[in-house]
């Protein structure tokens, strides 16, 4: 899910067992109950429910938003199907995706997601907000809360985001959160019929913890 605000992975093969250094914590991420909902200064994050379909449709039907997700705009039937599927999806192993609804003043205004990656203790983060609420730092606040969930509740070691180079709003979100640009994949995908370039940003658990304490 290329990150657009609009959101944000190609897993690498695991190293041979004798090449992996000893880790202080297990390679497999752990899970602890985050205590839903997750509340920040201005937002509430929680797992999506089927009733969120209409709210998600408000931005997922916008060509300007979904173009950076590399998918067509949703219709109402797609929204209902997606939210029903996401609301019942497990988040227990590689390949699983957890989608969260982002609420402001009781209204669902966006989404974040964590995708459990194949590499040890790694996850991809993605995010999208309704254009009407952009420009107020809500995306940064929502993604920060999602990173905190990934590291502190789920025990991931590294979280990364894949962002279209032209999606400047998402790039700025990643930069504000201290995510470092690790790669620039030149013309690695096709968007709107033309080649597009993807940026990969990432942050480690200890780096995030240091920023939280500063």
């Amino acid at each position: 899910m290329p990150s657009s605000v609009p959101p944000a992975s190609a897993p690498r093969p695991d190293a041979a067992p004798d090449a992996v250094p000893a880790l202080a914590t297990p390679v497999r991420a752990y899970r602890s109950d985050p205590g839903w909902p997750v509340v920040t200064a201005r937002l509430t994050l929680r797992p999506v429910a089927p009733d969120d379909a209409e709210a998600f449709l408000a931005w997922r039907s916008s060509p300007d938003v979904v173009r950076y997700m590399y998918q067509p705009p949703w219709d109402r039937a797609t929204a209902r199907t997606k939210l029903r599927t996401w609301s019942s999806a497990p988040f227990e192993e590689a390949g699983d995706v957890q989608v969260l609804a982002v609420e402001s003043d009781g209204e669902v205004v966006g989404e974040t997601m964590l995708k459990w990656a194949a590499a040890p203790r790694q996850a991809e983060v993605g995010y999208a907000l309704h254009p009407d609420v952009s420009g107020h730092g809500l995306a940064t606040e929502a993604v920060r809360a999602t990173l905190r969930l990934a590291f502190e509740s789920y025990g991931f070691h590294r979280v990364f985001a894949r962002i279209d180079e032209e999606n400047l709003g998402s790039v700025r979100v990643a930069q504000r959160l201290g995510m470092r640009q690790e790669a620039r994949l030149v013309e690695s995908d096709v968007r709107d019929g033309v080649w597009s370039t993807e940026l990969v940003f990432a942050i480690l658990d200890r780096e995030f913890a240091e920023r939280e304490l500063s």
Side-chain angles (χ1 to χ4, degrees):
M1 181 181 183
S3 295
S4 128
V5 174
S9 59
R12 60 173 176 77
D14 293 344
D18 58 0
V20 178
L23 298 175
T25 55
V27 169
R28 182 178 176 84
Y30 58 79
R31 276 180 58 98
S32 66
D33 185 353
W36 302 110
V38 172
V39 179
T40 69
R42 297 178 293 172
L43 303 172
T44 298
L45 282 71
R46 56 165 175 78
V48 292
D51 290 347
D52 295 321
E54 200 67 26
F56 272 57
L57 183 63
W59 62 86
R60 286 278 189 159
S61 62
S62 168
D64 289 339
V65 174
V66 299
R67 68 192 300 257
Y68 291 122
M69 297 180 179
Y70 292 77
Q71 57 185 258
W74 284 6
D75 56 21
R76 186 161 279 102
T78 300
R80 290 172 177 168
T81 299
K82 289 287 191 181
L83 270 295
R84 187 168 56 248
T85 300
W86 288 345
S87 64
S88 61
F91 190 62
E92 299 173 348
E93 60 185 7
D96 289 349
V97 178
Q98 182 176 69
V99 183
L100 304 178
V102 178
E103 296 182 355
S104 175
D105 296 326
E107 299 291 330
V108 177
V109 298
E111 64 186 275
T112 66
M113 75 91 185
L114 284 173
K115 180 177 181 180
W116 199 313
R121 292 178 57 199
Q122 296 184 47
E124 178 181 357
V125 66
Y127 39 97
L129 265 67
H130 194 295
D132 287 353
V133 300
S134 64
H136 302 287
L138 296 184
T140 302
E141 188 171 330
V143 179
R144 180 179 290 110
T146 306
L147 291 176
R148 187 178 302 117
L149 177 71
F151 293 129
E152 298 178 5
S153 293
Y154 293 157
F156 288 108
H157 172 63
R158 176 178 175 269
V159 176
F160 61 93
R162 301 180 301 130
I163 306 174
D164 187 295
E165 185 175 54
E166 294 184 9
N167 188 355
L168 300 181
S170 279
V171 169
R172 285 192 288 268
V173 169
Q175 291 171 336
R176 289 190 199 106
L177 292 168
M179 301 181 78
R180 99 190 122 263
Q181 183 179 324
E182 294 187 336
R184 181 174 183 265
L185 308 180
V186 179
E187 296 188 2
S188 60
D189 210 335
V190 176
R191 173 177 51 77
D192 301 334
V194 298
W195 288 107
S196 62
T197 294
E198 179 179 87
L199 306 179
V200 178
F201 287 84
I203 190 168
L204 303 179
D205 49 2
R206 64 176 179 271
E207 295 169 334
F208 181 76
E210 289 170 358
R211 289 185 63 88
E212 289 286 275
L213 291 173
S214 64

